[in-house]
Short mmCIF file of all heavy atoms in Angstrom, two decimals:
data_model
loop_
_atom_site.label_atom_id
_atom_site.label_comp_id
_atom_site.label_asym_id
_atom_site.label_seq_id
_atom_site.Cartn_x
_atom_site.Cartn_y
_atom_site.Cartn_z
N GLY R 986 16.71 -16.59 -16.22
CA GLY R 986 16.00 -17.84 -16.02
C GLY R 986 15.44 -18.35 -17.32
O GLY R 986 15.08 -17.57 -18.21
N VAL R 987 15.36 -19.68 -17.44
CA VAL R 987 14.77 -20.33 -18.61
C VAL R 987 13.79 -21.38 -18.12
O VAL R 987 13.93 -21.92 -17.02
CB VAL R 987 15.85 -20.97 -19.51
CG1 VAL R 987 16.74 -19.92 -20.12
CG2 VAL R 987 16.69 -21.99 -18.71
N GLY R 988 12.75 -21.64 -18.95
CA GLY R 988 11.75 -22.58 -18.51
C GLY R 988 10.95 -23.18 -19.64
O GLY R 988 11.32 -23.07 -20.83
N THR R 989 9.84 -23.80 -19.27
CA THR R 989 8.97 -24.45 -20.25
C THR R 989 8.37 -23.41 -21.19
O THR R 989 8.40 -22.22 -20.92
CB THR R 989 7.85 -25.21 -19.52
OG1 THR R 989 7.17 -24.29 -18.64
CG2 THR R 989 8.42 -26.35 -18.70
N TYR R 990 7.82 -23.88 -22.30
CA TYR R 990 7.31 -23.04 -23.39
C TYR R 990 8.44 -22.17 -23.96
O TYR R 990 8.20 -21.09 -24.49
CB TYR R 990 6.16 -22.15 -22.92
CG TYR R 990 4.92 -22.90 -22.50
CD1 TYR R 990 4.71 -23.23 -21.16
CD2 TYR R 990 3.96 -23.28 -23.43
CE1 TYR R 990 3.57 -23.92 -20.76
CE2 TYR R 990 2.82 -23.97 -23.04
CZ TYR R 990 2.64 -24.29 -21.70
OH TYR R 990 1.51 -24.99 -21.32
N THR R 991 9.69 -22.64 -23.79
CA THR R 991 10.89 -21.92 -24.24
C THR R 991 10.86 -20.47 -23.70
O THR R 991 11.06 -19.51 -24.44
CB THR R 991 11.00 -21.91 -25.77
OG1 THR R 991 10.59 -23.18 -26.29
CG2 THR R 991 12.42 -21.65 -26.21
N THR R 992 10.60 -20.38 -22.43
CA THR R 992 10.50 -19.08 -21.78
C THR R 992 11.87 -18.60 -21.36
O THR R 992 12.67 -19.36 -20.80
CB THR R 992 9.58 -19.15 -20.55
OG1 THR R 992 8.28 -19.56 -20.97
CG2 THR R 992 9.49 -17.82 -19.85
N VAL R 993 12.16 -17.34 -21.62
CA VAL R 993 13.40 -16.69 -21.19
C VAL R 993 13.03 -15.44 -20.40
O VAL R 993 12.26 -14.60 -20.89
CB VAL R 993 14.30 -16.32 -22.38
CG1 VAL R 993 15.55 -15.60 -21.90
CG2 VAL R 993 14.67 -17.57 -23.18
N LEU R 994 13.57 -15.35 -19.19
CA LEU R 994 13.31 -14.20 -18.33
C LEU R 994 14.63 -13.66 -17.83
O LEU R 994 15.39 -14.35 -17.14
CB LEU R 994 12.42 -14.60 -17.15
CG LEU R 994 12.08 -13.51 -16.13
CD1 LEU R 994 11.28 -12.39 -16.81
CD2 LEU R 994 11.31 -14.08 -14.96
N GLY R 995 14.94 -12.42 -18.18
CA GLY R 995 16.21 -11.82 -17.78
C GLY R 995 16.03 -10.38 -17.34
O GLY R 995 15.12 -9.68 -17.81
N GLU R 996 16.92 -9.96 -16.45
CA GLU R 996 16.86 -8.59 -15.96
C GLU R 996 18.25 -8.17 -15.48
O GLU R 996 18.95 -8.95 -14.82
CB GLU R 996 15.85 -8.46 -14.82
CG GLU R 996 15.67 -7.05 -14.31
CD GLU R 996 14.56 -6.93 -13.29
OE1 GLU R 996 13.77 -7.90 -13.18
OE2 GLU R 996 14.48 -5.90 -12.62
N VAL R 997 18.65 -6.95 -15.81
CA VAL R 997 19.91 -6.38 -15.36
C VAL R 997 19.64 -4.98 -14.83
O VAL R 997 18.98 -4.17 -15.51
CB VAL R 997 20.95 -6.32 -16.51
CG1 VAL R 997 22.24 -5.66 -16.01
CG2 VAL R 997 21.24 -7.71 -17.04
N TYR R 998 20.14 -4.72 -13.62
CA TYR R 998 20.00 -3.39 -13.03
C TYR R 998 21.39 -2.90 -12.65
O TYR R 998 22.15 -3.60 -11.97
CB TYR R 998 19.11 -3.43 -11.79
CG TYR R 998 19.01 -2.10 -11.08
CD1 TYR R 998 18.10 -1.13 -11.51
CD2 TYR R 998 19.84 -1.79 -10.01
CE1 TYR R 998 18.01 0.09 -10.88
CE2 TYR R 998 19.76 -0.58 -9.37
CZ TYR R 998 18.84 0.37 -9.81
OH TYR R 998 18.78 1.58 -9.19
N LEU R 999 21.74 -1.69 -13.09
CA LEU R 999 23.07 -1.13 -12.86
C LEU R 999 22.95 0.24 -12.21
O LEU R 999 22.08 1.05 -12.58
CB LEU R 999 23.84 -1.00 -14.17
CG LEU R 999 24.02 -2.29 -15.00
CD1 LEU R 999 24.69 -1.97 -16.33
CD2 LEU R 999 24.82 -3.32 -14.22
N ASN R 1000 23.85 0.51 -11.28
CA ASN R 1000 23.94 1.82 -10.64
C ASN R 1000 25.38 2.03 -10.20
O ASN R 1000 25.92 1.26 -9.41
CB ASN R 1000 22.99 1.91 -9.44
CG ASN R 1000 23.02 3.28 -8.80
OD1 ASN R 1000 23.01 4.29 -9.51
ND2 ASN R 1000 23.07 3.33 -7.49
N HIS R 1001 26.01 3.06 -10.75
CA HIS R 1001 27.43 3.29 -10.46
C HIS R 1001 27.63 4.74 -10.05
O HIS R 1001 27.10 5.67 -10.68
CB HIS R 1001 28.27 2.98 -11.70
CG HIS R 1001 29.73 3.19 -11.49
ND1 HIS R 1001 30.48 2.48 -10.57
CD2 HIS R 1001 30.61 4.05 -12.09
CE1 HIS R 1001 31.73 2.88 -10.60
NE2 HIS R 1001 31.84 3.83 -11.52
N GLU R 1002 28.40 4.91 -8.98
CA GLU R 1002 28.69 6.26 -8.48
C GLU R 1002 29.94 6.79 -9.17
O GLU R 1002 31.04 6.25 -9.00
CB GLU R 1002 28.89 6.23 -6.97
CG GLU R 1002 29.06 7.62 -6.37
CD GLU R 1002 29.13 7.59 -4.85
OE1 GLU R 1002 29.06 6.49 -4.28
OE2 GLU R 1002 29.26 8.68 -4.24
N LEU R 1003 29.76 7.86 -9.94
CA LEU R 1003 30.88 8.47 -10.64
C LEU R 1003 31.70 9.36 -9.73
O LEU R 1003 32.92 9.48 -9.88
CB LEU R 1003 30.37 9.28 -11.84
CG LEU R 1003 29.61 8.49 -12.91
CD1 LEU R 1003 29.10 9.44 -13.99
CD2 LEU R 1003 30.48 7.41 -13.52
N GLY R 1004 31.02 10.00 -8.83
CA GLY R 1004 31.68 10.91 -7.91
C GLY R 1004 30.74 11.23 -6.77
O GLY R 1004 29.68 10.61 -6.60
N ARG R 1005 31.13 12.19 -5.96
CA ARG R 1005 30.30 12.57 -4.82
C ARG R 1005 28.96 13.14 -5.32
O ARG R 1005 28.91 14.18 -5.94
CB ARG R 1005 31.03 13.59 -3.96
CG ARG R 1005 30.28 13.97 -2.70
CD ARG R 1005 31.08 14.92 -1.86
NE ARG R 1005 30.36 15.29 -0.64
CZ ARG R 1005 30.82 16.12 0.28
NH1 ARG R 1005 32.02 16.69 0.11
NH2 ARG R 1005 30.10 16.39 1.35
N GLY R 1006 27.86 12.41 -5.04
CA GLY R 1006 26.53 12.86 -5.44
C GLY R 1006 26.24 12.72 -6.91
O GLY R 1006 25.27 13.28 -7.41
N GLU R 1007 27.04 11.94 -7.64
CA GLU R 1007 26.87 11.80 -9.08
C GLU R 1007 26.78 10.32 -9.42
O GLU R 1007 27.70 9.55 -9.13
CB GLU R 1007 28.05 12.45 -9.81
CG GLU R 1007 27.88 12.59 -11.30
CD GLU R 1007 29.05 13.32 -11.93
OE1 GLU R 1007 30.06 13.56 -11.22
OE2 GLU R 1007 28.98 13.63 -13.13
N ASN R 1008 25.66 9.92 -10.02
CA ASN R 1008 25.42 8.51 -10.32
C ASN R 1008 24.92 8.34 -11.76
O ASN R 1008 24.25 9.22 -12.31
CB ASN R 1008 24.37 7.92 -9.38
CG ASN R 1008 24.85 7.82 -7.95
OD1 ASN R 1008 24.98 8.82 -7.25
ND2 ASN R 1008 25.13 6.61 -7.51
N VAL R 1009 25.23 7.17 -12.31
CA VAL R 1009 24.73 6.78 -13.60
C VAL R 1009 24.21 5.35 -13.47
O VAL R 1009 24.80 4.54 -12.74
CB VAL R 1009 25.81 6.87 -14.70
CG1 VAL R 1009 26.98 5.95 -14.40
CG2 VAL R 1009 25.23 6.57 -16.06
N GLY R 1010 23.12 5.04 -14.13
CA GLY R 1010 22.54 3.70 -13.98
C GLY R 1010 21.57 3.40 -15.10
O GLY R 1010 21.42 4.15 -16.06
N GLY R 1011 20.88 2.28 -14.93
CA GLY R 1011 19.91 1.86 -15.92
C GLY R 1011 19.44 0.45 -15.65
O GLY R 1011 19.91 -0.22 -14.72
N TYR R 1012 18.48 -0.01 -16.44
CA TYR R 1012 18.01 -1.38 -16.31
C TYR R 1012 17.58 -1.90 -17.68
O TYR R 1012 17.23 -1.12 -18.59
CB TYR R 1012 16.86 -1.51 -15.31
CG TYR R 1012 15.60 -0.78 -15.70
CD1 TYR R 1012 14.65 -1.38 -16.55
CD2 TYR R 1012 15.33 0.49 -15.23
CE1 TYR R 1012 13.49 -0.72 -16.90
CE2 TYR R 1012 14.16 1.16 -15.58
CZ TYR R 1012 13.25 0.55 -16.41
OH TYR R 1012 12.09 1.21 -16.77
N PHE R 1013 17.61 -3.23 -17.79
CA PHE R 1013 17.21 -3.92 -19.01
C PHE R 1013 16.40 -5.14 -18.60
O PHE R 1013 16.83 -5.93 -17.76
CB PHE R 1013 18.42 -4.34 -19.84
CG PHE R 1013 18.09 -5.23 -21.01
CD1 PHE R 1013 17.62 -4.68 -22.19
CD2 PHE R 1013 18.24 -6.61 -20.91
CE1 PHE R 1013 17.31 -5.50 -23.27
CE2 PHE R 1013 17.93 -7.42 -21.99
CZ PHE R 1013 17.47 -6.87 -23.17
N THR R 1014 15.19 -5.30 -19.17
CA THR R 1014 14.34 -6.44 -18.86
C THR R 1014 13.91 -7.11 -20.16
O THR R 1014 13.66 -6.44 -21.17
CB THR R 1014 13.10 -6.03 -18.07
OG1 THR R 1014 12.29 -5.15 -18.86
CG2 THR R 1014 13.48 -5.33 -16.77
N HIS R 1015 13.82 -8.44 -20.10
CA HIS R 1015 13.39 -9.21 -21.27
C HIS R 1015 12.58 -10.41 -20.79
O HIS R 1015 12.99 -11.13 -19.88
CB HIS R 1015 14.60 -9.70 -22.08
CG HIS R 1015 14.23 -10.61 -23.21
ND1 HIS R 1015 13.80 -10.15 -24.44
CD2 HIS R 1015 14.18 -11.98 -23.29
CE1 HIS R 1015 13.53 -11.17 -25.22
NE2 HIS R 1015 13.75 -12.31 -24.55
N HIS R 1016 11.41 -10.59 -21.42
CA HIS R 1016 10.56 -11.74 -21.13
C HIS R 1016 9.98 -12.21 -22.45
O HIS R 1016 9.33 -11.43 -23.17
CB HIS R 1016 9.43 -11.34 -20.17
CG HIS R 1016 8.62 -12.51 -19.69
ND1 HIS R 1016 7.37 -12.37 -19.10
CD2 HIS R 1016 8.88 -13.85 -19.72
CE1 HIS R 1016 6.91 -13.56 -18.78
NE2 HIS R 1016 7.79 -14.47 -19.16
N SER R 1017 10.23 -13.47 -22.78
CA SER R 1017 9.75 -13.99 -24.06
C SER R 1017 9.38 -15.45 -23.91
O SER R 1017 9.80 -16.13 -22.98
CB SER R 1017 10.82 -13.83 -25.14
OG SER R 1017 11.97 -14.59 -24.83
N SER R 1018 8.56 -15.91 -24.85
CA SER R 1018 8.14 -17.31 -24.88
C SER R 1018 7.79 -17.67 -26.32
O SER R 1018 7.25 -16.83 -27.06
CB SER R 1018 6.94 -17.55 -23.97
OG SER R 1018 6.44 -18.87 -24.11
N SER R 1019 8.09 -18.91 -26.70
CA SER R 1019 7.75 -19.36 -28.05
C SER R 1019 6.32 -19.84 -28.16
O SER R 1019 5.87 -20.22 -29.25
CB SER R 1019 8.69 -20.50 -28.47
OG SER R 1019 8.52 -21.63 -27.61
N GLY R 1020 5.57 -19.83 -27.05
CA GLY R 1020 4.17 -20.23 -27.08
C GLY R 1020 4.02 -21.74 -27.04
O GLY R 1020 4.87 -22.47 -26.56
N GLY R 1021 2.87 -22.19 -27.55
CA GLY R 1021 2.57 -23.61 -27.54
C GLY R 1021 1.38 -23.96 -26.68
O GLY R 1021 1.29 -25.06 -26.13
N ILE R 1022 0.41 -23.03 -26.56
CA ILE R 1022 -0.79 -23.29 -25.77
C ILE R 1022 -1.65 -24.33 -26.48
O ILE R 1022 -1.90 -24.24 -27.69
CB ILE R 1022 -1.59 -21.98 -25.56
CG1 ILE R 1022 -0.71 -20.93 -24.87
CG2 ILE R 1022 -2.84 -22.23 -24.75
CD1 ILE R 1022 -1.37 -19.56 -24.73
N ASP R 1023 -2.11 -25.32 -25.74
CA ASP R 1023 -2.93 -26.39 -26.32
C ASP R 1023 -4.23 -25.85 -26.89
O ASP R 1023 -4.92 -25.03 -26.25
CB ASP R 1023 -3.24 -27.44 -25.25
CG ASP R 1023 -1.99 -28.20 -24.81
OD1 ASP R 1023 -1.02 -28.21 -25.57
OD2 ASP R 1023 -2.01 -28.76 -23.70
N GLY R 1024 -4.57 -26.30 -28.10
CA GLY R 1024 -5.85 -25.95 -28.70
C GLY R 1024 -5.87 -24.63 -29.44
O GLY R 1024 -6.89 -24.29 -30.05
N VAL R 1025 -4.79 -23.87 -29.44
CA VAL R 1025 -4.75 -22.58 -30.12
C VAL R 1025 -4.34 -22.80 -31.58
O VAL R 1025 -3.37 -23.51 -31.87
CB VAL R 1025 -3.78 -21.62 -29.41
CG1 VAL R 1025 -3.59 -20.34 -30.22
CG2 VAL R 1025 -4.28 -21.29 -28.02
N LEU R 1026 -5.08 -22.19 -32.51
CA LEU R 1026 -4.83 -22.40 -33.94
C LEU R 1026 -3.81 -21.44 -34.51
O LEU R 1026 -3.29 -21.69 -35.61
CB LEU R 1026 -6.15 -22.25 -34.71
CG LEU R 1026 -7.28 -23.22 -34.34
CD1 LEU R 1026 -8.54 -22.89 -35.14
CD2 LEU R 1026 -6.85 -24.66 -34.56
N LEU R 1027 -3.52 -20.33 -33.82
CA LEU R 1027 -2.62 -19.31 -34.34
C LEU R 1027 -1.36 -19.22 -33.47
O LEU R 1027 -1.29 -19.78 -32.37
CB LEU R 1027 -3.33 -17.95 -34.36
CG LEU R 1027 -4.58 -17.87 -35.24
CD1 LEU R 1027 -5.36 -16.60 -34.97
CD2 LEU R 1027 -4.19 -17.94 -36.72
N ASP R 1028 -0.36 -18.50 -33.96
CA ASP R 1028 0.87 -18.29 -33.19
C ASP R 1028 0.54 -17.54 -31.89
O ASP R 1028 -0.22 -16.55 -31.90
CB ASP R 1028 1.87 -17.49 -34.01
CG ASP R 1028 2.37 -18.26 -35.23
OD1 ASP R 1028 2.29 -19.50 -35.19
OD2 ASP R 1028 2.80 -17.61 -36.20
N ASP R 1029 1.16 -17.98 -30.80
CA ASP R 1029 0.90 -17.34 -29.51
C ASP R 1029 2.19 -16.98 -28.78
O ASP R 1029 2.21 -16.84 -27.57
CB ASP R 1029 0.03 -18.24 -28.62
CG ASP R 1029 0.69 -19.58 -28.35
OD1 ASP R 1029 1.43 -20.06 -29.22
OD2 ASP R 1029 0.48 -20.14 -27.27
N ASP R 1030 3.29 -16.83 -29.52
CA ASP R 1030 4.55 -16.41 -28.91
C ASP R 1030 4.49 -14.92 -28.56
O ASP R 1030 3.64 -14.17 -29.07
CB ASP R 1030 5.72 -16.69 -29.86
CG ASP R 1030 5.56 -15.94 -31.18
OD1 ASP R 1030 4.56 -16.21 -31.89
OD2 ASP R 1030 6.41 -15.09 -31.49
N PHE R 1031 5.40 -14.48 -27.70
CA PHE R 1031 5.44 -13.06 -27.34
C PHE R 1031 6.85 -12.67 -26.95
O PHE R 1031 7.68 -13.49 -26.54
CB PHE R 1031 4.46 -12.74 -26.21
CG PHE R 1031 4.85 -13.33 -24.88
CD1 PHE R 1031 5.70 -12.65 -24.01
CD2 PHE R 1031 4.35 -14.56 -24.48
CE1 PHE R 1031 6.05 -13.18 -22.78
CE2 PHE R 1031 4.69 -15.10 -23.25
CZ PHE R 1031 5.55 -14.41 -22.40
N ILE R 1032 7.14 -11.37 -27.05
CA ILE R 1032 8.41 -10.76 -26.63
C ILE R 1032 8.08 -9.44 -25.94
O ILE R 1032 7.27 -8.66 -26.44
CB ILE R 1032 9.34 -10.50 -27.83
CG1 ILE R 1032 9.69 -11.80 -28.54
CG2 ILE R 1032 10.61 -9.78 -27.38
CD1 ILE R 1032 10.50 -11.58 -29.81
N ASP R 1033 8.71 -9.22 -24.81
CA ASP R 1033 8.53 -7.96 -24.07
C ASP R 1033 9.89 -7.52 -23.57
O ASP R 1033 10.46 -8.11 -22.65
CB ASP R 1033 7.56 -8.16 -22.90
CG ASP R 1033 7.26 -6.86 -22.18
OD1 ASP R 1033 7.80 -5.81 -22.58
OD2 ASP R 1033 6.49 -6.89 -21.19
N THR R 1034 10.44 -6.47 -24.18
CA THR R 1034 11.79 -5.99 -23.85
C THR R 1034 11.73 -4.49 -23.58
O THR R 1034 11.15 -3.73 -24.36
CB THR R 1034 12.76 -6.26 -25.01
OG1 THR R 1034 12.78 -7.67 -25.28
CG2 THR R 1034 14.16 -5.81 -24.67
N LYS R 1035 12.38 -4.08 -22.47
CA LYS R 1035 12.43 -2.66 -22.09
C LYS R 1035 13.85 -2.28 -21.68
O LYS R 1035 14.58 -3.09 -21.10
CB LYS R 1035 11.47 -2.37 -20.94
CG LYS R 1035 10.00 -2.57 -21.26
CD LYS R 1035 9.14 -2.18 -20.07
CE LYS R 1035 7.64 -2.31 -20.37
NZ LYS R 1035 7.24 -3.71 -20.52
N LEU R 1036 14.22 -1.04 -21.98
CA LEU R 1036 15.55 -0.52 -21.67
C LEU R 1036 15.42 0.89 -21.12
O LEU R 1036 14.60 1.69 -21.60
CB LEU R 1036 16.43 -0.52 -22.93
CG LEU R 1036 17.80 0.15 -22.81
CD1 LEU R 1036 18.70 -0.65 -21.87
CD2 LEU R 1036 18.46 0.32 -24.18
N ASN R 1037 16.24 1.19 -20.07
CA ASN R 1037 16.23 2.53 -19.49
C ASN R 1037 17.62 2.86 -19.00
O ASN R 1037 18.32 2.02 -18.43
CB ASN R 1037 15.23 2.60 -18.33
CG ASN R 1037 15.22 3.96 -17.66
OD1 ASN R 1037 16.03 4.21 -16.78
ND2 ASN R 1037 14.29 4.80 -18.06
N VAL R 1038 18.06 4.11 -19.25
CA VAL R 1038 19.32 4.62 -18.72
C VAL R 1038 19.03 5.95 -18.03
O VAL R 1038 18.12 6.70 -18.43
CB VAL R 1038 20.38 4.81 -19.82
CG1 VAL R 1038 20.81 3.47 -20.39
CG2 VAL R 1038 19.86 5.72 -20.93
N ASN R 1039 19.81 6.26 -16.98
CA ASN R 1039 19.57 7.50 -16.25
C ASN R 1039 20.87 8.05 -15.67
O ASN R 1039 21.84 7.30 -15.46
CB ASN R 1039 18.55 7.27 -15.12
CG ASN R 1039 19.01 6.23 -14.13
OD1 ASN R 1039 19.86 6.49 -13.27
ND2 ASN R 1039 18.45 5.02 -14.24
N TYR R 1040 20.86 9.34 -15.44
CA TYR R 1040 22.00 10.05 -14.83
C TYR R 1040 21.43 11.01 -13.80
O TYR R 1040 20.46 11.75 -14.08
CB TYR R 1040 22.80 10.80 -15.89
CG TYR R 1040 23.88 11.69 -15.31
CD1 TYR R 1040 25.12 11.17 -14.95
CD2 TYR R 1040 23.64 13.05 -15.11
CE1 TYR R 1040 26.10 11.99 -14.41
CE2 TYR R 1040 24.62 13.87 -14.58
CZ TYR R 1040 25.85 13.34 -14.22
OH TYR R 1040 26.82 14.14 -13.68
N SER R 1041 22.01 11.02 -12.60
CA SER R 1041 21.52 11.88 -11.53
C SER R 1041 22.66 12.56 -10.82
O SER R 1041 23.80 12.05 -10.80
CB SER R 1041 20.69 11.07 -10.52
OG SER R 1041 21.49 10.08 -9.89
N GLN R 1042 22.35 13.72 -10.23
CA GLN R 1042 23.35 14.48 -9.49
C GLN R 1042 22.68 15.18 -8.32
O GLN R 1042 21.58 15.75 -8.45
CB GLN R 1042 24.05 15.49 -10.40
CG GLN R 1042 25.24 16.17 -9.76
CD GLN R 1042 26.03 17.03 -10.75
OE1 GLN R 1042 25.51 17.37 -11.82
NE2 GLN R 1042 27.25 17.39 -10.40
N ARG R 1043 23.34 15.13 -7.17
CA ARG R 1043 22.85 15.80 -5.97
C ARG R 1043 23.74 16.99 -5.66
O ARG R 1043 24.95 16.84 -5.44
CB ARG R 1043 22.84 14.84 -4.78
CG ARG R 1043 21.89 13.67 -4.94
CD ARG R 1043 21.82 12.84 -3.67
NE ARG R 1043 23.12 12.31 -3.28
CZ ARG R 1043 23.63 11.18 -3.73
NH1 ARG R 1043 22.97 10.45 -4.62
NH2 ARG R 1043 24.82 10.76 -3.31
N LEU R 1044 23.13 18.17 -5.62
CA LEU R 1044 23.83 19.40 -5.31
C LEU R 1044 23.36 19.93 -3.96
O LEU R 1044 22.53 19.33 -3.30
CB LEU R 1044 23.60 20.44 -6.41
CG LEU R 1044 24.01 20.00 -7.83
CD1 LEU R 1044 23.64 21.08 -8.84
CD2 LEU R 1044 25.49 19.69 -7.89
N ARG R 1045 23.90 21.05 -3.57
CA ARG R 1045 23.57 21.60 -2.25
C ARG R 1045 22.13 22.02 -2.15
O ARG R 1045 21.45 21.75 -1.15
CB ARG R 1045 24.49 22.79 -1.94
CG ARG R 1045 24.23 23.44 -0.60
CD ARG R 1045 25.19 24.56 -0.34
NE ARG R 1045 24.92 25.19 0.94
CZ ARG R 1045 25.60 26.23 1.43
NH1 ARG R 1045 26.61 26.74 0.72
NH2 ARG R 1045 25.30 26.74 2.61
N ASP R 1046 21.61 22.68 -3.18
CA ASP R 1046 20.27 23.24 -3.13
C ASP R 1046 19.26 22.44 -3.94
O ASP R 1046 18.05 22.72 -3.85
CB ASP R 1046 20.28 24.69 -3.64
CG ASP R 1046 21.12 25.60 -2.76
OD1 ASP R 1046 21.17 25.33 -1.54
OD2 ASP R 1046 21.73 26.55 -3.29
N LEU R 1047 19.69 21.48 -4.71
CA LEU R 1047 18.76 20.71 -5.53
C LEU R 1047 19.41 19.41 -5.96
O LEU R 1047 20.62 19.22 -5.87
CB LEU R 1047 18.30 21.52 -6.75
CG LEU R 1047 19.39 22.03 -7.72
CD1 LEU R 1047 19.69 21.01 -8.82
CD2 LEU R 1047 18.96 23.34 -8.35
N SER R 1048 18.57 18.49 -6.44
CA SER R 1048 19.02 17.25 -7.05
C SER R 1048 18.20 17.03 -8.32
O SER R 1048 17.02 17.37 -8.36
CB SER R 1048 18.85 16.08 -6.08
OG SER R 1048 17.50 15.94 -5.68
#
Side-chain angles (χ1 to χ4, degrees):
V987 294
T989 55
Y990 296 94
T991 321
T992 300
V993 178
L994 179 62
E996 183 174 346
V997 177
Y998 176 84
L999 303 175
N1000 183 44
H1001 180 62
E1002 185 175 1
L1003 299 176
R1005 184 177 180 180
E1007 190 176 9
N1008 292 73
V1009 61
Y1012 64 85
F1013 171 81
T1014 63
H1015 174 82
H1016 187 197
S1017 63
S1018 173
S1019 63
I1022 302 174
D1023 293 339
V1025 173
L1026 300 177
L1027 299 168
D1028 294 337
D1029 59 329
D1030 60 299
F1031 69 87
I1032 299 174
D1033 185 0
T1034 302
K1035 296 183 177 68
L1036 173 67
N1037 177 275
V1038 293
N1039 60 77
Y1040 172 82
S1041 63
Q1042 189 172 17
R1043 296 186 302 273
L1044 303 176
R1045 180 178 180 181
D1046 297 328
L1047 58 89
S1048 58

